[in-house]
Amino acid sequence: QVQVVESGGGLVQAGGSLRLSCTASHRTYRPYAMGWFRQAPGKQREFVGAINSRGSTINYSDSVKGRFTISKDNTKNTVYLQMNSLRPEDTAVYYCAVDIDHPWVAVVANDYDYWGLGTQVTVSS
């Protein structure tokens, strides 16, 4: 079983920055990828970005590419999502997820096995 906990959300003005953290606790030694998704009110959950276990492969959605950066600290089982140049349309609940099954960096929510409860990010105009 893997427990996933996000932190770092909040309220920020447009153009500002936030850093989200996600810690995964596990008893498995299987390699895994960790991904970020977001869901705005009335919209489907969408892929933001993900990183593989070694940190050698990172995928981003086109909507955040160049503004958001994912990094990973394997000693802490923690992934970070640095969000810069935030826009009101980035407002959403941000979820962290863990994939223990696929050898690639998945971009589909259904490919992820464990999810956190989410953290709210609100960007004011």
Side-chain angles (χ1 to χ4, degrees):
Q1 189 75 359
V2 179
Q3 293 183 333
V4 183
V5 179
E6 309 96 337
S7 63
L11 173 64
V12 65
Q13 289 187 332
S17 299
L18 280 175
R19 189 178 80 157
L20 306 184
S21 300
C22 171
T23 300
S25 60
H26 61 94
R27 295 182 178 180
T28 176
Y29 296 98
R30 295 176 65 179
Y32 57 84
M34 295 178 73
W36 288 98
F37 291 77
R38 67 186 182 185
Q39 188 166 16
K43 295 186 177 181
Q44 290 187 334
R45 190 169 298 189
E46 66 169 340
F47 173 75
V48 173
I51 185 169
N52 67 346
S53 59
R54 294 185 176 182
S56 57
T57 301
I58 305 175
N59 287 340
Y60 297 99
S61 69
D62 289 341
S63 61
V64 307
K65 198 173 295 182
R67 300 188 297 122
F68 291 10
T69 302
I70 293 175
S71 59
K72 189 175 186 183
D73 184 342
N74 281 333
T75 65
K76 299 180 180 179
N77 288 331
T78 298
V79 169
Y80 303 98
L81 179 65
Q82 177 67 43
M83 305 184 293
N84 298 329
S85 301
L86 282 162
R87 305 166 180 170
E89 53 264 39
D90 294 318
T91 295
V93 177
Y94 283 70
Y95 297 91
C96 179
V98 173
D99 174 13
I100 62 171
D101 291 326
H102 302 92
W104 57 85
V105 178
V107 301
V108 176
N110 285 343
D111 284 345
Y112 286 81
D113 306 285
Y114 300 99
W115 291 81
L117 296 179
T119 184
Q120 176 70 45
V121 172
T122 303
V123 184
S124 63
S125 57

